[in-house]
């Protein structure tokens, strides 16, 4: 096992990784920007190294500074968390070239899944169901037209280098294809420096369901069930739940074993998440995330597994030590992402934390790096806390979530806590009756 791990991240996830390491007897090195000198992860880590000014490009994305920090502190491994360098294949390979261990998948798997066409081809070859669409990248507008006729409208143009919904345009019929092609290409070009597009049949009312995978270096792969992440606004998840209200145990085991077999086939290692769209009882692979995800705690709550601990053990070469039959699912979990934003306009609201009181009690978990007097810097993502609640049933989980939200106090800034209060009172949500578009309609409704 490692003696010392460097955490190449900030905020709640840096703290989350520190906690797993501390419990494993591993010393931690925090890295931080000048804006994060007073951050919780810096205070708790065994050592801390300042790696640059506030702008992420010069600190949390500064590869030479992070590698130097690892070298001078004698860290043996680097955990990248989510965002920042977590899905940068070049960073993962530089970590390995420096004789350190990257706590995550191989650079080759990160690269494979980073390109959405390569990812889809690999997924299809490994037996995952995919959305009907073009064979690879489209050559021209004429090629797009031909493909759309063959697939059947409505179709969706997607960026090969994409993610986050950028460079994505729907064409409802032949009259819309030229405009969609032009807009998607220019958006993809400016967002990713790569204007290449591919095409898929557009699914109108799907749910977003993702499967958590763990794979060790000895060929063992397990799935930890699914998370329903359909409640999003502008491609930002707002609330996630596990299990999905839309699946039964037969469907769960079916897609879970297909996902597990696919990961064995491609030789995937460490933690990963396979994203599907789910519509009319069918799953369609869309993307794979080769990192620890923000919403991993809901899976931890229903399986009792510590996913960060598993990532560290796998990276150190340890076998999982259990098989799929040993993974037991228990109860229901929901995560609410609390952002420092106005709950109706979503305008960011960084500032100094006044009174801070986190809810507690049975089945309540708060992952946050906040404390009274902390100044939330304006330079980074606005998520300040995750409230994660577990119950033996979905109904118990909802009752407990309502109770916990009522206890949560964050003064000094606007937060999205009132949005969550409103959301969990909504009959459609209570009934589990929602798709990927439901939340956008809900937030724009004035009642
Ligand atoms: C789709 C889709 C409908 N049909 N693909 C959005 C981001 C990217 N990860 C994939 N996305 C979508 N792909 C087909 N063939 C609809 C979306 C989509 C979406 C997906 C998941 C969660 C929220 C979403 C919101 C809008 C569109």
């Amino acid at each position: 096992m490692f003696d010392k791990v460097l955490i190449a991240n900030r905020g709640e996830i840096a703290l989350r990784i520190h906690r797993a390491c501390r419990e494993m007897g591993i010393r931690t090195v925090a890295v931080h920007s000048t804006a994060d000198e007073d951050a919780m992860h810096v205070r708790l880590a065994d050592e801390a190294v300042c790696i640059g000014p506030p702008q992420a490009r010069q600190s949390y994305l500064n590869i030479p500074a992070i590698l130097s920090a690892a070298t001078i502190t004698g860290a043996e491994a680097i955990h990248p968390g989510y965002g920042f360098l977590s899905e940068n294949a070049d960073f993962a390979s530089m970590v390995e070239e420096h004789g350190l261990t990257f706590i995550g998948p191989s650079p080759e798997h990160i690269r494979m899944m980073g390109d959405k066409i390569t990812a889809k081809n690999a997924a299809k070859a490994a037996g995952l169901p995919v959305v009907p669409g073009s064979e690879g990248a489209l050559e021209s507008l004429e090629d797009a037209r031909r493909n759309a006729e063959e697939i059947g409208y409505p179709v969706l143009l997607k960026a090969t280098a994409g993610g986050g919904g950028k460079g994505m345009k729907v064409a409802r019929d032949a009259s819309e294809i030229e405009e969609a092609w032009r807009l998607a290409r220019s958006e993809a070009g400016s967002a990713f420096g790569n204007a290449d597009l591919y095409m898929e049949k557009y699914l109108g009312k799907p749910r977003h369901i993702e499967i958590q995978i763990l794979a060790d270096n000895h060929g063992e792969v397990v799935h930890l069930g699914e998370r329903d992440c359909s409640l999003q606004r502008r491609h930002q998840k707002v609330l996630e739940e596990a299990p999905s209200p839309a699946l039964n145990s037969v469907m769960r085991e079916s897609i879970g074993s297909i996902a597990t077999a696919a990961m064995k086939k491609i030789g995937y290692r460490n933690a990963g998440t396979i994203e599907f769209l789910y519509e009319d009882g069918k799953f369609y692979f869309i993307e794979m995330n080769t990192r620890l995800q923000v919403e991993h705690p809901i899976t931890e709550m229903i399986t009792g597994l510590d996913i960060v601990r598993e990532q560290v053990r796998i990276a150190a070469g340890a076998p999982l030590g259990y098989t799929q039959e040993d993974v037991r699912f228990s109860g229901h979990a929901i995560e609410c992402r609390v952002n420092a934003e106005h709950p109706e306009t979503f305008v960011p609201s960084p500032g100094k934390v006044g009174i801070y009181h986190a809810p507690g009690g049975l089945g309540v978990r708060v992952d946050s790096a906040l404390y009274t007097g902390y100044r939330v810097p304006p330079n980074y993502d606005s998520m300040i806390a995750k409230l994660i609640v577990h119950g033996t049933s979905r109904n118990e989980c909802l009752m407990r979530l309502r109770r916990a939200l009522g206890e949560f106090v964050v003064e000094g800034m606007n937060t999205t806590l009132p949005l969550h209060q409103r959301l969990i009172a909504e009959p459609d949500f209570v009934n589990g009756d929602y798709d990927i578009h439901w939340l956008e309609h809900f937030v724009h409704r004035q009642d």
Side-chain angles (χ1 to χ4, degrees):
M1 190 43 65
F2 309 117
D3 285 321
K4 198 185 270 190
V5 166
L6 182 140
I7 302 164
N9 217 297
R10 64 177 304 284
E12 68 86 21
I13 201 63
L15 193 53
R16 169 70 189 87
I17 297 161
H18 164 82
R19 285 169 169 160
C21 290
R22 181 52 67 86
E23 289 176 12
M24 298 173 83
I26 299 170
R27 284 175 294 162
T28 56
V29 179
V31 293
H32 65 90
S33 71
T34 53
D36 275 341
E37 266 159 14
D38 300 321
M40 198 65 161
H41 75 283
V42 174
R43 291 188 179 194
L44 286 182
D46 294 294
E47 291 168 74
V49 180
C50 181
I51 50 166
Q55 303 90 307
R57 198 155 290 289
Q58 294 177 67
S59 50
Y60 297 103
L61 293 170
N62 184 341
I63 296 176
I66 292 166
L67 292 175
S68 305
T71 304
I72 60 168
T73 56
E76 300 158 75
I78 299 183
H79 196 305
Y82 53 67
F84 296 125
L85 296 168
S86 62
E87 292 180 292
N88 183 321
D90 294 336
F91 175 64
S93 75
M94 279 187 254
V95 169
E96 305 282 339
E97 281 158 20
H98 277 70
L100 309 169
T101 302
F102 180 78
I103 302 175
S106 71
E108 292 72 28
H109 285 117
I110 298 175
R111 200 165 281 120
M112 172 195 285
M113 298 306 173
D115 180 289
K116 304 308 166 194
I117 292 177
T118 318
K120 194 174 172 182
N121 288 339
K124 195 173 173 183
L128 293 175
V130 300
V131 193
S134 61
E135 255 333 296
L138 300 163
E139 307 268 308
S140 60
L141 172 59
E142 287 60 48
D143 192 21
R145 264 191 224 288
R146 266 196 305 276
N147 273 277
E149 293 300 337
E150 193 167 316
I151 297 160
Y153 288 97
V155 295
L156 187 58
L157 290 164
K158 291 185 169 184
T160 307
K166 279 198 201 105
M168 222 175 66
K169 291 284 170 244
V170 184
R172 308 218 165 251
D173 54 51
S175 76
E176 292 184 358
I177 191 75
E178 183 167 357
E179 167 105 330
W181 169 261
R182 250 187 343 95
L183 288 174
R185 275 188 71 82
S186 98
E187 227 178 274
S190 44
F192 313 111
N194 174 357
D196 286 353
L197 303 178
Y198 65 108
M199 185 183 286
E200 285 185 347
K201 176 86 188 166
Y202 177 68
L203 304 177
K205 291 177 179 310
R207 297 178 81 111
H208 174 134
I209 296 179
E210 57 186 33
I211 308 278
Q212 176 72 55
I213 293 291
L214 288 177
D216 69 15
N217 300 352
H218 311 278
E220 191 70 64
V221 182
V222 298
H223 74 82
L224 306 185
E226 81 283 8
R227 296 184 285 258
D228 196 316
C229 304
S230 302
L231 295 175
Q232 312 205 1
R233 181 188 166 268
R234 301 198 177 164
H235 303 290
Q236 295 279 28
K237 293 169 186 161
V238 170
L239 178 153
E240 307 95 346
E241 60 180 316
S244 169
L247 298 191
N248 59 38
S249 60
V250 173
M251 297 146 101
R252 173 168 312 111
E253 275 164 40
S254 160
I255 192 63
S257 61
I258 291 167
T260 302
M263 292 303 107
K264 280 190 184 152
K265 219 162 194 172
I266 69 168
Y268 191 81
R269 301 288 152 81
N270 213 281
T273 301
I274 311 176
E275 293 189 358
F276 295 93
L277 295 178
Y278 177 75
E279 192 176 73
D280 298 332
K282 292 191 286 286
F283 284 94
Y284 304 90
F285 168 89
I286 46 168
E287 290 174 23
M288 179 162 185
N289 300 318
T290 56
R291 60 166 192 276
L292 178 68
Q293 290 198 263
V294 175
E295 61 272 25
H296 77 278
I298 56 175
T299 299
E300 298 185 324
M301 302 301 270
I302 64 162
T303 60
L305 281 161
D306 177 334
I307 294 173
V308 179
R309 179 176 201 271
E310 296 307 292
Q311 286 192 289
V312 174
R313 287 180 55 241
I314 291 166
L320 279 182
Y322 47 86
T323 62
Q324 190 64 51
E325 295 73 62
D326 300 317
V327 177
R328 290 271 171 259
F329 299 101
S330 168
H332 198 94
I334 296 179
E335 172 179 276
C336 293
R337 296 191 188 194
V338 183
N339 291 349
E341 291 170 0
H342 189 280
E344 273 140 39
T345 63
F346 301 97
V347 172
S349 172
K352 189 177 168 184
V353 182
I355 293 171
Y356 176 72
H357 180 265
L362 181 63
V364 177
R365 164 176 173 182
V366 177
D367 280 18
S368 173
L370 283 201
Y371 57 86
T372 297
Y374 176 63
R375 222 173 256 289
V376 176
N379 314 82
Y380 312 106
D381 189 89
S382 66
M383 193 181 73
I384 52 169
K386 305 188 302 204
L387 170 59
I388 306 111
V389 170
H390 181 261
T392 56
S393 63
R394 188 168 185 268
N395 189 51
E396 186 180 287
C397 186
L398 288 174
M399 297 295 280
R400 183 164 286 154
L401 178 54
R402 204 163 286 127
R403 185 275 285 173
L405 280 169
E407 288 178 19
F408 212 153
V409 180
V410 183
E411 292 190 342
M413 67 197 74
N414 292 317
T415 77
T416 51
L417 281 166
L419 170 73
H420 288 294
Q421 300 256 27
R422 216 158 61 82
L423 174 58
I424 65 164
E426 221 22 63
D428 286 347
F429 174 68
V430 171
N431 296 327
D433 188 11
Y434 56 80
D435 61 29
I436 60 169
H437 304 295
W438 187 90
L439 190 75
E440 299 273 4
H441 297 294
F442 171 73
V443 301
H444 293 117
R445 228 171 56 198
Q446 298 297 308
D447 62 357

